Amino acid sequence: MPGQNLTRTEAQERRTLVDTHSYDVALDLTKGAEIFGSRAVVRFSATPGAATFIDLIARDVREITLNGVAIDPAAVFADSRIRLEGLAAENELIVDADCLYTNTGEGLHRFVDPVDGEVYLYSQFEVPDSRRVFAVFEQPDLKATFQFTVTAPAAWKVVSNSPTPEPVAAGEGTATWAFEPTPRISSYITAVVAGPYEATFSELTSASGRVIPLGVYGRKSLWQHLDADYIFDKTREGFAYYEEKFGYPYPFAKYDQLFVPEFNAGAMENAGAVTFTETYVFRSKVTDAVKERRVVTILHELAHMWFGDLVTMKWWNDLWLNESFAEWASTIATAEATEW
């Protein structure tokens, strides 16, 4: 049995059968400390009559409906896969499930601040962990648009790849945020971040003439230590440098940078919603080398907006090129566009 593995050969075979169009993903973050609700509507084309599978890691699956026909989850869901048979040329799949929060930095991570008891959530999907949050064809060469609708406590802030909409009251202290669809992107760079984060905002003007909203977020108990103005300054310098050198304007609608707890890497290039380790929130005096390293990381993730997010490797064996290019670009940008 495949367990939670997906081989390159399987992905290549699936790519010959399937072309993804859109995901509408509704997440309910009000179901307690262990689970959240996940309802995905996936639209895709396929070779008529073909059989394949979609990926999902979930505690329970309540509903699977393919092209209007209900399917017994017990008959088709196993080993992190939902088997799909008898596909049409154009398909609509609905999967309603309960998924589990993690505390390992995979999928949707849940953290309780020991200082004040506040709950913070953030997603981490690289390499194959968006399937821990919604049903998805989990491979980077099957891009699609993603539209997230998130129900959460009304006092929270909710951030995704698209600009944050005004929430609509959902009753009993909850609210719903309905985000606009993203451009066509890979599932591993989608993002959902939610909680009582503090935030501050700014903007810049892209080479295209568009005004790009900027945001910096952090948890309440560390907010006094977060030097957001400096981060905005380095971001502006990076934008100007990359848009000139790449000859292509920034490809997304906004650019948020979120410093999140218990992050198990340096940062992650979610399109328009980059997450960073809180190691980069300086709570005491640090060396110039550490300050410079943070700037390199900020510009590394910004470089990924072009190389990695706009243009993406077909499979994970080219992740080395994705990362090495961003590291090269951020190092030279730091040297040529900043005080470092």
Side-chain angles (χ1 to χ4, degrees):
M1 303 299 285
Q4 294 180 4
N5 293 321
L6 172 66
T7 69
R8 184 185 182 190
T9 298
E10 288 177 313
Q12 289 173 324
E13 291 173 350
R14 184 163 65 177
R15 185 67 185 87
T16 67
L17 301 174
V18 170
D19 191 20
T20 44
H21 303 321
S22 67
Y23 293 80
D24 292 344
V25 179
L27 301 178
D28 183 352
L29 308 181
T30 66
K31 302 185 75 169
E34 295 185 3
I35 64 169
F36 58 93
S38 169
R39 181 178 180 85
V41 180
V42 187
R43 297 179 180 89
F44 62 100
S45 56
T47 302
T52 188
F53 62 93
I54 195 168
D55 306 289
L56 177 66
I57 297 174
R59 192 188 73 171
D60 301 299
V61 177
R62 286 184 295 272
E63 174 193 352
I64 301 173
T65 301
L66 177 61
N67 299 327
V69 178
I71 303 171
D72 180 8
V76 296
F77 174 55
D79 292 309
S80 76
R81 300 180 178 187
I82 297 171
R83 190 171 71 252
L84 305 173
E85 297 179 340
L87 296 174
E90 297 296 332
N91 301 272
E92 181 181 88
L93 173 69
I94 301 172
V95 179
D96 194 303
D98 281 336
C99 298
L100 292 166
Y101 294 115
T102 74
N103 60 3
T104 58
E106 302 164 296
L108 193 56
H109 184 102
R110 185 179 188 273
F111 170 81
V112 180
D113 193 331
V115 175
D116 54 18
E118 296 279 18
V119 174
Y120 294 89
L121 310 176
Y122 62 89
S123 61
Q124 171 62 21
F125 292 157
E126 188 182 65
V127 177
D129 285 322
S130 59
R131 59 190 174 149
R132 295 181 184 275
V133 175
F134 55 92
V136 58
F137 293 103
E138 181 85 274
Q139 56 190 84
D141 61 346
L142 281 174
K143 291 188 173 185
T145 63
F146 293 82
Q147 185 167 19
F148 289 96
T149 301
V150 180
T151 299
W156 284 12
K157 291 182 174 66
V158 179
V159 178
S160 187
N161 307 97
S162 298
T164 298
E166 287 297 320
V168 176
E172 297 183 358
T174 67
T176 298
W177 288 256
F179 291 85
E180 291 296 316
T182 68
R184 286 182 63 84
I185 56 177
S186 300
S187 63
Y188 81 95
I189 56 170
T190 61
V192 173
V193 183
Y197 288 90
E198 295 284 355
T200 187
F201 303 98
S202 189
E203 63 183 31
L204 59 78
T205 301
S206 167
S208 66
R210 286 194 301 127
V211 174
I212 307 296
L214 306 175
V216 169
Y217 293 74
R219 57 181 165 121
K220 290 180 180 180
S221 60
L222 293 182
W223 185 247
Q224 62 179 315
H225 303 291
L226 193 46
D227 50 343
D229 288 341
Y230 181 81
I231 293 166
F232 285 140
D233 287 344
K234 299 308 107 180
T235 302
R236 291 189 184 93
E237 291 169 353
F239 261 79
Y241 186 85
Y242 290 145
E243 289 191 327
E244 177 190 356
K245 299 301 183 183
F246 297 160
Y248 195 95
Y250 177 70
F252 302 108
K254 52 90 176 179
Y255 195 68
D256 289 326
Q257 296 174 92
L258 306 105
F259 294 80
V260 298
E262 296 183 333
F263 200 66
N264 63 9
M268 177 60 203
E269 67 267 20
N270 311 308
V274 173
T275 44
F276 291 91
T277 173
E278 288 182 339
T279 303
Y280 287 139
V281 180
F282 301 143
R283 283 154 275 187
S284 60
K285 188 175 181 179
V286 295
T287 65
D288 285 349
V290 172
K291 294 177 183 177
E292 181 183 8
R293 182 66 247 175
R294 182 177 66 167
V295 172
V296 173
T297 303
I298 288 169
L299 298 184
H300 175 112
E301 303 310 321
L302 182 57
H304 273 311
M305 298 300 111
W306 287 265
F307 199 90
D309 293 4
L310 177 64
V311 178
T312 313
M313 71 271 168
K314 285 186 176 181
W315 186 242
W316 304 111
N317 61 347
D318 280 331
L319 190 60
W320 70 272
L321 180 59
N322 195 15
E323 294 303 324
S324 61
F325 178 87
E327 191 63 10
W328 169 80
S330 59
T331 300
I332 195 170
T334 300
E336 296 186 356
T338 78
E339 75 271 28
W340 302 102

